[in-house]
Amino acid sequence: MDYKVESLRCEYRKNPIGLDVKRPRISWKISSNYRGVVQVAYQIQVAVNDRNLSSVFWDSGKVESDQSVHILYKGPDLSSRTRYYYRVRVWCNDSKVSEWSDVNFWEMGFLDKSEWLGSWITGEFFPKSTNIDSCLMLRKTFTFNKKVRKARLYASALGLYEIHLNGQRIGDWLFTPGWTSYNKRLQYQTYDVTELLNNEVNAIGAHIGNGWYKGNLAFQDQRNIYGQELALLCQLHIIFEDGTEDIVVTDEHWKVATGPVLMSEIYHGETYDARLEREGWTQSDYLDTDWAGVKVIDHSKDVLIAQENMPTRVIEELKPASIIRTPSGETVLDIGQNMVGWIHFKVNGVRGKKITLQHAEVLDKEGNFYVGNLRAAKQTINYVLKGGGEEEYEPYFSFYGFRYVKIEGWPGEFDLNDFTAKVIHSDNQITGTFVCSDHMINQLQQNIVWSQKGNFLDVPTDCPQRDERLGWTGDAHVFMRTASFNMNTALFFTKWLRDLKADQLPNGGVPHVIPHVLRDEDHSSSAWGDAAVIGPWTLYVCYGDKRILEEQYESMKDWIEYIRNQGENEYLWNTGFHFGDWLGLDAKEDSYEGATPKDLIATAFYAYSTHLLGEVARLLNYNGDAEKYVLLHHNILDHFRNEFTTSNGSLIANTQTAHVLALMFDLLQIEDRPKVADALANLIIENNIHLTTGFVGTPYICHVLSRFGYSDLAYKLVFQKDYPSWLYSINKGATTIWEHWDGIKEDGSFWSDDMNSFNHYAYGAVGDWLYRSVAGIDTTISQPGYKHINISPSFEKELSWVKASYESMYGTIRSEWKKLSKGMEISLAIPPNTKATVILKGISNREIIERDDSVIIDMEGLLDWNFDEGNITLQLGSGEYNFII
Ligand code: BGC
């Protein structure tokens, strides 16, 4: 047997710098061409600042274990700003030892807040409480004349920053320092700037804009939510060849000015006057005599934390598809894809000429540019040319949700080559692919991915275009499982859940949006606040990450206790405000809230979250709590049944969502479940095979149907093409998931102006069903993170083939099936150090042969098999398999 240790990761990252995790975890993948590979032992070696590992700082020794993800570093305490090189080797089931892996590293940031020597600085001239919109420019020069061995810059801001050294932008990260609950947790970023320093005079300069910190945020027209002053904090450590060190920090010696960015706002866009550019302002020879002195302000440095998630970047570039002249005479660029980011343009014209770019998602019925659904968000760029040749521009601190761009004032002819659409989002690794024989389903999958890209900009948002763009908890948790197939979301959601915990109210309530920026909110909603429990649980299931459960445990408990304290009856949640089955189609006229009783929804989620908490308590060995929450769960179930089912076990609420929740969360007596599933199927059939569900029921409806034997009906729902259905929007030209089933109605008119996003991932939660049911890729809860994989595809008549893959922490899982004129071809990949249970349903033929014609029971890697009532169950070790049934 031959195998290699590859893809080393520390805290999910390859060679991260600036970590502040005191006990980081290491993961690796094993690659092998052999089947049935299982790790039986591993060894990790770590060295300090020593790429060759000639002197080992920590050696785990040979540890007998099949664990290859999240191995805790157990060596001596780590030191700030130090690089740790590490390598791994493993023994697998043939007892041979692998070669050592390549050497990887992680580098620590600051482990002690007292290491922050810099001060927060802002512009002295900058009035405190006004809405002055100009971005600040801050700069400083510094000198040295020794040879640099390495240099690191640590930076953060109150507001958003972009930083330059000697005329070059540092890194390609956008929207730094990211969005967190700023007054409790504020990220800093670490940059390797060794190559950017000059030997002698150097200049550093930063731009700061309002961003989420101080700009207009949330639909309640708020500003200055986190504070009134923009500020910068940075610290540059330069280590010279001779071992000495210089530290350049933000202090009273910096200078400040304003420049061309006259306004930059997340929602509203940017006003940029190129005539005010300060050319060379981040170079050392720039003359800054007209710049003002800065003011040092008092702001906590205790809230600083290292960057926790993957940065936001420009991830792809699109060329606009066409230029349209609308019936009302507007000139509009069509990108061909609803997206999030901005337009980079090149322009040539006279000094002082003003051009305007406004961004929108859709054209109206007549084909005119439509901005009604943006509400107060202006999404507009006003650019004033400096003249004298070609100039280029793209915005600094604002982003736009758009497919169409209306352009006014453009000098001269349009050339599509002058425009590039830049797609930005958190740089989460793409981990999933799903394609099948139906092009509309493939478009649906694409739309889900595009809505994920557009709404994963540092925090999971409801929408990316109108004056909202907030971390709505309900939307986030229903989409999490789907999202975690498409991309690796472990760090993205870990950061967000830590903000959830930080923003949790003293009574355990969970704000509707995280980070918490809505005013006057003293109540929490069921199904939204449950993100506190379902969120960490989902990460545990997808990544086998137990630390997130430990970290969030108190937050989960506080949420359950919050619910328990609502109303008179501790086993029901039948009081207070709830969003209900938001946007359900069975809602009354003029209401957003579906017909399913809110008490039922609230109690259903209460039961489910309590059940999960009991599981978590058991996993973490909090045995007293485990018992307590198991008992609480039983009591809630009793009360749920008393309150919401009839004496024969049917549900009192005749809505699809009520049935879906009761079945999804196992709230009914086992013997009543088939009957209720049948009732759900009837409700759907009576409705001409269409759904009526909203945000709460939709994510689960197909799972419930598939699980209870109605896979054919689930397929029919998903393949439905007329309103309301997923594919309806595709027939209407959607390239992202809509907030409303009827965002654009049959007659081409819009649902309404006030809440009609065309880029809302919530209904995209059906993607999870495509992966888990149609392709059939799932993990076993008892061995989460795909340590033990379940593969159980469902073959229905609508599809003739499916190809799906998922890049797990162990390696690539692949599930492909294809109907042949006689029989079926199945192709699977099970990564080393995992096993899989493969269930092929509805197969009566017992003859399975491998591609090379050997009968399956002789197949290498097959651990066990069973034919039972038309189902074939195979237990497989790792490897690639291709067989014909
Ligand atoms: C958001 C939703 C959110 C909802 C709360 C809306 O404005 O866009 O997606 O969950 O409010 O009901």
Side-chain angles (χ1 to χ4, degrees), residues 651-682:
L651 282 168
I652 54 146
N654 215 18
T655 66
Q656 293 178 7
T657 291
H659 287 68
V660 167
L661 294 184
L663 292 165
M664 182 75 194
F665 298 155
D666 292 332
L667 306 180
L668 306 173
Q669 301 283 10
I670 294 183
E671 60 275 19
D672 293 330
R673 293 178 194 174
K675 177 174 61 195
V676 172
D678 198 47
L680 170 64
N682 281 330

Side-chain angles (χ1 to χ4, degrees), residues 462-463 466 468 472 475 528 579 582 695 739 755 760:
D462 57 336
C463 58
R466 66 183 180 218
E468 199 152 346
W472 283 94
D475 309 39
W528 269 249
F579 291 112
W582 189 247
F695 274 36
E739 178 174 25
M755 232 187 34
H760 232 75

Side-chain angles (χ1 to χ4, degrees), residues 718-872:
V718 174
F719 278 77
Q720 197 60 266
K721 293 189 179 56
D722 54 354
Y723 168 80
S725 67
W726 283 276
L727 301 189
Y728 168 80
S729 69
I730 289 170
N731 269 334
K732 288 279 174 198
T735 57
T736 37
I737 301 292
W738 295 354
E739 178 174 25
H740 289 266
W741 295 116
D742 54 351
I744 300 175
K745 296 188 188 167
E746 294 282 8
D747 66 2
S749 62
F750 294 123
W751 185 85
S752 95
D753 265 6
D754 72 329
M755 232 187 34
N756 199 13
S757 151
F758 292 98
N759 200 351
H760 232 75
Y761 53 54
Y763 289 154
V766 69
D768 179 36
W769 178 80
L770 294 176
Y771 282 106
R772 278 207 281 161
S773 221
V774 176
I777 301 174
D778 205 348
T779 180
T780 313
I781 303 289
S782 58
Q783 293 188 58
Y786 301 87
K787 175 74 172 141
H788 192 99
I789 301 157
N790 283 332
I791 298 199
S792 177
S794 53
F795 320 110
E796 300 292 343
K797 63 175 189 314
E798 285 82 355
L799 290 178
S800 54
W801 60 264
V802 168
K803 290 183 185 194
S805 71
Y806 171 66
E807 189 60 30
S808 72
M809 301 280 289
Y810 298 91
T812 313
I813 302 168
R814 196 159 39 76
S815 166
E816 300 181 3
W817 55 265
K818 183 175 169 191
K819 291 175 186 163
L820 306 173
S821 54
K822 257 176 95 187
M824 177 117 74
E825 182 177 350
I826 308 269
S827 170
L828 305 172
I830 315 295
N833 204 25
T834 69
K835 290 180 184 160
T837 301
V838 179
I839 302 177
L840 305 174
K841 284 168 292 198
I843 307 255
S844 52
N845 193 342
R846 286 162 165 257
E847 195 182 88
I848 306 183
I849 50 170
E850 271 213 271
R851 248 302 183 220
D852 63 2
D853 282 355
S854 53
V855 177
I856 200 163
I857 44 174
D858 298 331
M859 184 167 75
E860 196 197 320
L862 180 69
L863 306 172
D864 199 1
W865 57 273
N866 177 37
F867 293 94
D868 181 24
E869 292 175 10
N871 292 339
I872 301 173

Side-chain angles (χ1 to χ4, degrees), residues 139-145 166 196-204 283-285:
R139 69 172 248 122
K140 175 182 170 80
T141 53
F142 55 96
T143 49
F144 55 80
N145 52 14
N166 295 327
L196 297 181
L197 290 170
N198 295 331
N199 192 4
E200 268 180 34
V201 197
N202 294 271
I204 184 167
Q283 311 267 22
S284 54
D285 56 2

Side-chain angles (χ1 to χ4, degrees), residues 98-114:
S98 70
E99 297 282 312
W100 283 106
S101 67
D102 287 347
V103 174
N104 278 241
F105 64 82
W106 76 84
E107 185 180 299
M108 303 307 286
F110 294 128
L111 289 174
D112 195 329
K113 315 278 183 206
S114 66

